Amino acid sequence: MTHVLPRRAVLRSAALAGGVAITASACSAEEDRPAAEGRPAAEAPVEHAVVVRDDGFAVTLAATGERTVAASRAVLSRATAVVVSTTTPSDLDPARATATALGLPLLVPGPDLLGELDRLSTRTVVRFGAAESVGDLGSREVIEGTPAENLPDLPGLPRPAATGSVLVLLHDGATVPAALEPLLALAGATRRTVEHLDPRRDDGTRNALSSAASAPVLAIGDGFGEHFAARVRTARKAPDLPGGGLLPFPGRRMVALYGHPQTRALGMLGEQGPTESAARAAGLVEEFAPLTDEKVIPAFELIATVAAASPLPDESYSRKTPVQALLPYVEAAEDAGAYVVLDLQPGRSDFLTQAKAYEPLLRRPWVGLALDPEWRLKAGQKHIEQIGSVGIEEVNAVGAWLAELVRTHDLPPKVLTLHQFRTSMVRDRESLDTSLDEIQWLVHADGQGGQGAKQATWRALQRGLPEGVWLGWKNFEDEDSPMLTPEQTMEQVAPAPWFISYQ
């Protein structure tokens, strides 16, 4: 039965609900990040829509009807009248014109349509398409589809569009699906063409997201993926890293002093105080900067727990440096625009237990973590007598904990380093959890001695390296024969390392 549309304002409000991200994808395309030696390979393309809300709800969507309902859920809080249409062009084209002319949302039938009409408190539906095609609309007033000019004069319609209340990101020639156009017009959407699928990589996109800090985001194109909502939050909230941007790599290379702040015996970092160490690292940066196209920034790799030759009261064979003893170096690094990595040598303890002890420092945005399996002992083992090793389950547990810390505190992604000079030091490394979007794994070659042996170690560590893992290199001042110059490091170590430390 056809009803006359009531003479009242049928759309009371289109209040915007902030903080929802929607990704809609149509067909396969390669991720825009190029794969290269020493860089992560491309992410798999996404061929469906993924909707993620602030409360953590996530659902995979494929049909146009589900997309319009998802977009409505993200953008509208109430709509007492809507246009509903099938996807048949003879229905959809006039439906879109009517919805746009009146300032009404357009929904396409899907399994969640009736629930969305209930949520919106919809009382009137302008229907385009046969009743059996549109489906159940409940007890609402229904008017059969007709051009807007043929509808009665309605107070309050057409509604003026909002301004800039939704941000639409379009990637790689993508266009807005026709069924979503009326809703975006109603919301006053701002559109931006983006080069990168990851909004953390593009300063222009980050600025656009920050300028519309509470607005829903609609990303259209292939490959935005399930991490998109979290990436939007990071792009809006996380502070920049030294040198700018949010992702440690590939936006910069790091050159670090390695050592312990309380002794000269463990590396260059302990040979001077915090401020002097920052100046020394800056001097190394000046030598490396002309050798690469990427920014080069200084870094500290601070040994936080030190392998001990004899048991301590907790039987760990690992001496824990108090947070307060490390803090002056962390603060000096922050003042100098340097990154910090905390190195763990856990003995008979485990990496996760020790990492948690340094949470106050790891909450700082420029502090990452390094795991040194050489010093991870099994029960009954002792340092020097045995070379330690770690199972991948323990490594992944640290990664998961650190990723959660990043998410909880809205931090930029952190570098999580695995030191190795033997493949056996990390058991089942092929199962490393590289899906953690808040972590950038780095395998750091710790071999020392002649350059022939070091190069052999470097090649061996790259065999079977999981995709998405970056590479680091260490120069030993006293143990290498000879130690490479900065020029030799960048020319002879292939691929060129992203993190270079000096011990």
Side-chain angles (χ1 to χ4, degrees):
M1 176 178 178
T2 300
H3 297 272
V4 176
L5 198 65
R7 291 177 174 272
R8 51 182 165 80
V10 293
L11 185 67
R12 289 186 179 176
S13 65
L16 294 165
V20 184
I22 307 167
T23 64
S25 304
C27 56
S28 283
E30 288 193 358
E31 155 74 68
D32 62 340
R33 182 174 59 199
E37 286 188 297
R39 296 189 181 186
E43 293 180 354
V46 178
E47 298 181 87
H48 48 249
V50 179
V51 179
V52 185
R53 292 201 312 238
D54 275 351
D55 59 9
F57 168 81
V59 62
T60 298
L61 310 170
T64 302
E66 292 174 319
R67 288 179 186 171
T68 60
V69 168
S72 170
R73 188 180 302 134
V75 171
L76 295 177
S77 64
R78 183 175 173 84
T80 58
V82 302
V83 175
V84 175
S85 172
T86 73
T87 57
T88 303
S90 59
D91 293 330
L92 186 60
D93 291 344
R96 183 171 47 135
T98 295
T100 301
L102 294 179
L104 295 178
L106 169 63
L107 301 180
V108 173
D112 296 330
L113 174 62
L114 191 58
E116 179 62 6
L117 294 176
D118 289 340
R119 188 191 70 84
L120 292 172
S121 300
T122 300
R123 297 195 294 271
T124 303
V125 174
V126 182
R127 180 174 62 194
F128 287 79
E132 60 271 20
S133 300
V134 172
D136 185 14
L137 299 175
S139 59
R140 294 166 178 83
E141 298 173 309
V142 176
I143 181 169
E144 297 300 338
T146 184
E149 60 268 18
N150 294 337
L151 293 174
D153 181 27
L154 301 172
L157 294 180
R159 286 187 62 87
T163 303
S165 300
V166 175
L167 180 61
V168 180
L169 303 181
L170 300 165
H171 177 255
D172 194 26
T175 58
V176 175
L180 289 179
E181 286 285 7
L183 179 63
L184 297 182
L186 171 64
T190 299
R191 306 181 190 212
R192 177 181 178 83
T193 300
V194 296
E195 178 182 357
H196 300 293
L197 292 168
D198 187 343
R200 301 172 302 177
R201 293 186 60 192
D202 183 353
D203 289 342
T205 303
R206 286 182 61 203
N207 291 336
L209 289 166
S210 298
S211 299
S214 62
V217 178
L218 172 62
I220 300 174
D222 293 318
F224 281 100
E226 62 180 318
H227 296 299
F228 180 71
R231 289 172 172 180
V232 166
R233 181 179 176 89
T234 298
R236 281 172 162 165
K237 293 180 176 292
D240 277 3
L241 293 170
L246 294 176
L247 297 178
F249 309 118
R252 77 210 76 234
R253 297 184 193 268
M254 301 185 190
V255 182
L257 295 184
Y258 177 93
H260 191 276
Q262 296 172 335
T263 176
R264 301 169 61 92
L266 296 178
M268 294 184 182
L269 192 64
E271 294 177 355
Q272 59 279 306
T275 303
E276 294 79 13
S277 292
R280 187 173 180 181
L284 286 170
V285 166
E286 290 181 1
E287 295 186 60
F288 277 89
L291 307 176
T292 178
D293 293 334
E294 290 81 17
K295 299 173 186 174
V296 182
I297 67 163
F300 289 170
E301 186 162 5
L302 281 168
I303 306 174
T305 60
V306 185
S310 57
L312 282 86
D314 62 359
E315 297 294 325
S316 69
Y317 286 79
S318 177
R319 184 173 291 105
K320 301 175 183 64
T321 308
V323 168
Q324 290 303 314
L326 300 175
L327 189 58
Y329 282 80
V330 173
E331 291 177 339
E334 290 174 342
D335 291 342
Y339 197 79
V340 176
V341 174
L342 302 180
D343 187 67
L344 303 180
Q345 301 177 1
R348 295 184 187 175
S349 182
D350 65 272
F351 283 117
L352 182 57
T353 297
Q354 289 204 337
K356 289 180 177 180
Y358 294 96
E359 180 176 336
L361 295 179
L362 290 167
R363 287 184 184 182
R364 301 170 91 106
W366 297 1
V367 179
L369 190 64
L371 313 182
D372 208 337
E374 176 185 1
W375 311 107
R376 174 66 172 96
L377 301 178
K378 298 177 183 177
Q381 290 184 331
K382 292 184 179 181
H383 296 303
I384 307 302
E385 294 181 12
Q386 290 90 18
I387 298 297
S389 65
V390 65
I392 198 62
E393 296 84 1
E394 184 173 326
V395 172
N396 285 337
V398 176
W401 174 81
L402 190 60
E404 180 61 30
L405 191 73
V406 170
R407 286 191 295 271
T408 299
H409 298 283
D410 290 322
L411 303 173
K414 288 188 179 289
V415 178
L416 182 46
T417 298
L418 288 174
H419 285 282
Q420 274 190 283
F421 56 84
R422 292 182 180 177
T423 56
S424 61
M425 289 167 58
V426 182
R427 301 188 300 276
D428 302 316
R429 193 185 66 174
E430 66 277 5
S431 298
L432 185 69
D433 186 1
T434 57
S435 69
L436 299 168
D437 205 47
E438 301 81 8
I439 298 298
Q440 287 196 328
W441 294 100
L442 183 136
V443 165
H444 196 276
D446 271 5
Q448 57 180 272
Q451 290 303 320
K454 292 191 65 161
Q455 288 289 345
T457 297
W458 180 249
R459 292 189 294 272
L461 292 178
Q462 292 180 59
R463 288 195 287 270
L465 188 70
E467 292 184 351
V469 178
W470 305 84
L471 292 168
W473 173 271
K474 182 177 285 189
N475 285 323
F476 288 84
E477 186 177 32
D478 298 323
E479 289 81 7
D480 283 354
S481 54
M483 185 180 80
L484 297 182
T485 66
E487 291 81 1
Q488 290 170 332
T489 301
M490 297 303 291
E491 292 173 0
Q492 297 181 20
V493 182
W498 294 91
F499 190 101
I500 302 131
S501 61
Y502 280 81
Q503 181 173 350

